[in-house]
Amino acid sequence: MGIRLHIWGERACFTRPELKAERVSYDVITPSAARGILEAIHWKPAIRWHIDRIHVLKPIQFGSFRRNEVSAKANARNAATAMKAGTTAGLGLVAEENRQQRAAMILLDVAYVVEAHFTMTDRAGPDDNPAKHISTFNRRAERGQCFHRPCLGTREFPAEFQLLPEEAALPHSDFLLQTQAAGDVDLGWMLHDIDFTNGKISKFFRARIHNGIIDVPPFDSPELAA
């Protein structure tokens, strides 16, 4: 069962894994980031979301962004030990001592329509069925409900969303006007998703925008490269 979700925001950063030190965003939202937004609205172990198509609605614009970040994080093992011991001694992290300034090349004024569907997993119970989950997703998306605030790559850049009914027309696309409708844009290799069942392997696909649309191959497609 498929859905269409309109997603937009003022800023986005879909970080290229090869450029983590100083973050540089992909040109558009990645399928894995789109899946994360859907999962923020509705997800259960019984279903898995698959991104089918991404409509690019706004011209691709980059901007530089500089911010203060903390270079260290609390150690999970130490935290677990402290919980068992009943004391937080030694767990403190002083932000001022670990602060560093980092630059990022981010996207400005983004908007997409994501077409997706889900499949049932082997963790589905007797009460799980496609009609139940699609109804739940549609109801939550129409009301603007989510388990956690969906974001456009990083939590500092929240995503707005709106469910597009089946019969509704797509929102106006400035991207098509800019590229004069017929132009193809080769975005190169882009992260498709992470294979969590096989050692967390990153999978990539050759992303191309044709008439404002990116067709996303299935997760098991031979087009994908690890």
Side-chain angles (χ1 to χ4, degrees):
M1 292 188 174
I3 60 93
R4 296 188 303 166
L5 192 70
H6 183 198
I7 300 166
W8 70 94
E10 294 182 0
R11 299 181 181 87
C13 185
F14 309 108
T15 305
R16 291 177 175 271
E18 70 273 25
L19 298 171
K20 284 183 178 178
E22 299 292 342
R23 295 191 181 96
V24 177
S25 176
Y26 282 113
D27 296 60
V28 299
I29 189 172
T30 62
S32 61
R35 176 178 57 78
I37 292 174
L38 300 182
E39 290 180 347
I41 299 170
H42 176 62
W43 177 83
K44 294 290 182 183
I47 64 172
R48 176 178 174 82
W49 285 103
H50 306 270
I51 307 302
D52 302 316
R53 203 165 288 110
I54 297 171
H55 299 257
V56 183
L57 303 180
K58 291 288 185 71
I60 299 171
Q61 304 177 69
F62 283 94
S64 60
F65 195 81
R66 191 173 290 276
R67 59 188 172 182
N68 292 325
E69 298 184 8
V70 177
S71 60
K73 60 182 180 181
N75 186 292
R77 180 176 298 177
N78 291 346
T81 302
M83 290 174 65
K84 291 179 181 178
T87 174
T88 57
L91 281 181
L93 182 66
V94 181
E96 285 73 16
E97 296 176 358
N98 296 278
R99 186 165 288 162
Q100 60 182 13
Q101 197 170 61
R102 298 176 67 183
M105 187 68 74
I106 65 172
L107 294 170
L108 305 175
D109 191 21
V110 301
Y112 311 99
V113 169
V114 172
E115 296 185 31
H117 71 281
F118 65 80
T119 53
M120 306 301 293
T121 71
D122 56 7
R123 299 175 67 183
D127 294 333
D128 291 306
N129 60 73
K132 169 187 172 183
H133 286 288
I134 196 69
S135 175
T136 301
F137 179 88
N138 288 340
R139 183 178 66 254
R140 291 178 62 81
E142 286 173 351
R143 295 175 179 175
Q145 295 176 319
C146 47
F147 292 113
H148 57 84
R149 180 70 173 178
C151 64
L152 295 165
T154 65
R155 292 184 180 180
E156 297 95 322
F157 305 147
E160 307 292 338
F161 62 87
Q162 178 184 33
L163 182 70
L164 288 182
E166 189 174 346
E167 66 280 4
L170 288 173
H172 173 75
S173 174
D174 291 329
F175 178 83
L176 282 178
L177 292 177
Q178 185 191 56
T179 57
Q180 299 187 357
D184 286 5
V185 181
D186 187 348
L187 301 177
W189 288 95
M190 174 184 286
L191 178 66
H192 183 285
D193 213 326
I194 308 294
D195 187 354
F196 291 100
T197 62
N198 191 23
K200 298 183 179 179
I201 297 175
S202 299
K203 291 194 171 184
F204 299 83
F205 75 111
R206 193 65 186 247
R208 295 180 176 84
I209 305 177
H210 177 67
N211 287 338
I213 301 171
I214 302 172
D215 286 312
V216 180
F219 189 66
D220 57 355
S221 170
E223 298 177 34
L224 271 57

